[in-house]
Amino acid sequence: MADKREVLDWDQFGVASREMAAMVWESGFEPEIIVCVARGGLIPAGAIAYALDLKSLLVLNVEFYTGVGTTLPDPRLVDPVPAHHGLRDKRVLIVDDVADSGRTLQFVYDICAEYTDQIKVAVLYQKERSVIDCDFVWEHTEEWISFPWSSLPPITGAENIDN
C-alpha cells in the first residue's frame, strides 16, 4: 500500500502542538531557545514556542528530502545560515515535523552539540527507522505523512494558472 498516508489536519495539529508543549513542560526541561528545522519544523516550532511562552527561536534551513522517499546524499544547510553562537550553553529544544530517517535531525543535533550539551528533540511523528530517538514524540508511524501546510501543490504550479 504505497499510497497509504498518515493525514494530519489543522485541527489535529492544534491538539498535537499543545500536547507536545505539555510533554516538554511536564518533563521539567525548560528550553531557552527553540531550533526549528525549516521548512517542516517551522509551524510546529512556532506553535510550541507560543504554548511555552518562549520567544527565542533559531531557524536552520536544511535540505535533505527532494520528494516522497527521495533524498540528497546527505543533509546540508541552505542559505541564509545564521550564526550559531547564541546556542552556547543554552537549553535547546530542536523541533521538526517528522523523524523519518532521522538524518536531518541528527545533522542539526550535531550542530547544536558544538555549543551545548543541553539538547532535547521534539517531533510530531517518529518512524522506527530513525537514527535519532527523539525525546518528545506525538505519534509513531511508518507511513508517509500529509501535513496540512504541505499537502497541497504550490500555488505557482501550472494547475493553479487561469487560462
Side-chain angles (χ1 to χ4, degrees):
M1 279 197 169
D3 290 9
K4 190 170 181 185
R5 292 177 180 240
E6 179 85 27
V7 177
L8 181 71
D9 64 27
W10 284 112
D11 288 338
Q12 290 171 309
F13 169 69
V15 170
S17 60
R18 294 292 295 186
E19 288 180 0
M20 292 287 301
M23 285 182 219
V24 173
W25 179 257
E26 291 166 3
S27 77
F29 183 69
E30 296 181 31
E32 296 171 275
I33 187 169
I34 290 179
V35 173
C36 43
V37 182
R39 293 180 306 184
L42 283 169
I43 296 171
I48 291 169
Y50 269 102
L52 293 175
D53 196 27
L54 182 62
K55 294 183 179 179
S56 187
L57 287 95
L58 174 72
V59 176
L60 291 181
N61 299 303
V62 181
E63 183 178 36
F64 186 49
Y65 277 85
T66 57
V68 176
T70 59
T71 67
L72 296 172
D74 293 299
R76 64 185 179 117
L77 288 177
V78 178
D79 287 334
V81 177
H84 308 121
H85 64 275
L87 300 174
R88 189 162 314 282
D89 300 323
K90 296 276 174 65
R91 290 181 304 276
V92 173
L93 180 64
I94 300 170
V95 178
D96 203 357
D97 53 358
V98 60
D100 191 316
S101 69
R103 290 182 59 203
T104 298
L105 282 164
Q106 186 66 60
F107 176 71
V108 171
Y109 187 97
D110 292 345
I111 291 170
C112 294
E114 294 177 28
Y115 300 94
T116 185
D117 61 357
Q118 302 175 79
I119 306 167
K120 301 283 185 184
V121 180
V123 294
L124 295 171
Y125 293 95
Q126 181 174 314
K127 297 189 179 182
E128 187 176 313
R129 68 176 174 251
S130 176
V131 297
I132 191 168
D133 189 25
C134 301
D135 301 283
F136 309 104
V137 178
W138 184 63
E139 283 196 12
H140 290 83
T141 188
E142 295 308 310
E143 297 174 6
W144 189 260
I145 305 143
S146 289
F147 292 100
W149 51 85
S150 62
S151 60
L152 296 175
I155 291 173
T156 57
E159 65 278 355
N160 296 302
I161 298 172
D162 292 330
N163 291 328

